[in-house]
Amino acid sequence: MIHFQNEQVTVFQSAIQMTNSAVVETIDTIFVIDPAWLPGEVDEIRQWANQRRTGRRLVLIFTHSDFDHVLGYGAFREGKVIASRKLKVHSAKETVLQQIKDWDSKNYIRRSYDVQFPRVDIAIEHNDQTISVESNTLVFTQTPGHNEDGMFTLFDDMGIMLAGDYLSDFEKPFLNHGYDEYLQSLEKARHWIDGGRVKLLIPGHGAVTSEIPEMLRRIDD
C-alpha cells in the first residue's frame, strides 16, 4: 500500500481509484492528509501514524469534502483538523455522510470507527494563507473548480504540495463547481511550481512526482 516514501513523507495508495493518503513527519508534528479508503487501509495509516508519533502532535488536513477524502476522519478523532472555511460550513454534510454509508453498504464494508464529517479546528479563509503549526510553516490556497471547498496545501520548508483532486497523471477533471474557477486553481499551482516552491507533488489520485516538467505537463494537460 505504500506508494512513495522518503524521510519526511509516506504516501499510502488505496486499491480504490489509486487514492493517495499522506503522512508527513516533522520534528514536533505528525500530519495525516485525507486518510482513505478501505477499513484495512485506514487502519494501516492509523497504526503507522501512531507508531511514529512518539509524543508528537497529530494534525489532520482535508483537501476537500468529497466523501472518498473524508471517510477516514472517524479513525483520527484525537487530531486537530485543518480544512477550508467552506468545508467547515458545508451545507450538505449529511449528504456526504450518506454517500459514505451507501458506498459501504453496497460493498458490504464494515468500519471499526464511526463515520463522521470532519470537525474543523483551523479554517482556511484566504488564498496564500500562511499558518504555523508548532515549528512548521504551511501555506494554503483555495481551489474551487473541482468542488467549492478545495484547497492546495504547501509545506513551505519542505516543498511538499498536496493537490487534492488536481494534477493527477491519469484522472481527468471533474468540474463540479466551475470551469473558470478550475483554470484559476491550476494557475495557482503553476505559480507555486514556477516559483520553485514545490519539490514533491502529491495528487489525490495517481502517481507522486518530484519532476518539475511532469508537474507542468499535468497542468497543461
Side-chain angles (χ1 to χ4, degrees):
M1 187 183 172
I2 291 179
H3 167 66
F4 174 89
Q5 189 172 39
N6 62 22
E7 293 182 356
Q8 299 165 321
V9 60
T10 301
V11 178
F12 297 84
Q13 189 169 90
S14 173
I16 309 296
Q17 298 179 355
M18 297 176 69
T19 305
N20 292 324
S21 306
V23 177
V24 178
E25 301 181 47
T26 72
I27 191 170
D28 46 35
T29 309
I30 296 288
F31 295 88
V32 176
I33 300 93
D34 289 357
W37 255 90
L38 299 172
E41 295 171 337
V42 174
D43 286 344
E44 182 178 348
I45 297 166
R46 178 173 57 187
Q47 291 169 13
W48 177 271
N50 286 341
Q51 290 171 359
R52 311 285 291 190
R53 277 184 71 181
T54 59
R56 288 180 282 186
R57 185 179 186 182
L58 177 64
V59 174
L60 303 180
I61 298 173
F62 290 99
T63 61
H64 61 298
S65 64
D66 283 359
F67 84 91
D68 55 322
H69 290 262
V70 302
L71 52 71
Y73 166 65
F76 297 87
R77 289 292 311 282
E78 73 276 21
K80 294 292 185 181
V81 173
I82 302 174
S84 70
R85 167 76 55 185
K86 290 182 179 180
L87 186 148
K88 181 175 182 176
V89 300
H90 197 294
S91 62
K93 295 177 182 178
E94 291 302 321
T95 299
V96 176
L97 294 177
Q98 192 60 51
Q99 290 174 329
I100 299 171
K101 294 172 183 177
D102 289 347
W103 191 89
D104 283 354
S105 177
K106 178 181 178 180
N107 293 283
Y108 307 124
I109 297 294
R110 292 183 178 179
R111 299 185 183 273
S112 60
Y113 56 87
D114 293 333
V115 172
Q116 300 184 26
F117 194 89
R119 179 178 177 178
V120 179
D121 299 291
I122 302 173
I124 304 304
E125 303 187 44
H126 310 294
N127 292 327
D128 291 316
Q129 182 172 340
T130 299
I131 67 169
S132 296
V133 180
E134 301 291 346
S135 63
N136 311 286
T137 301
L138 285 76
V139 184
F140 301 89
T141 197
Q142 299 178 78
T143 57
H146 169 67
N147 72 354
E148 186 178 10
D149 57 27
M151 67 181 189
F152 291 149
T153 300
L154 177 67
F155 287 81
D156 212 15
D157 298 333
M158 297 179 279
I160 299 170
M161 177 180 170
L162 286 304
D165 279 356
Y166 289 82
L167 305 183
S168 171
D169 59 323
F170 76 92
E171 183 183 57
K172 297 304 179 185
F174 289 88
L175 306 182
N176 301 316
H177 183 63
Y179 177 74
D180 290 339
E181 290 88 348
Y182 192 95
L183 294 181
Q184 291 167 10
S185 294
L186 290 179
E187 288 308 308
K188 293 173 185 177
R190 188 189 301 274
H191 177 72
W192 278 359
I193 293 166
D194 281 341
R197 301 176 74 178
V198 180
K199 298 179 176 62
L200 185 71
L201 171 67
I202 304 174
H205 302 267
V208 172
T209 184
S210 60
E211 300 296 327
I212 301 302
E214 170 61 13
M215 299 178 197
L216 297 175
R217 184 200 66 80
R218 294 183 190 187
I219 293 174
D220 293 337
D221 187 53

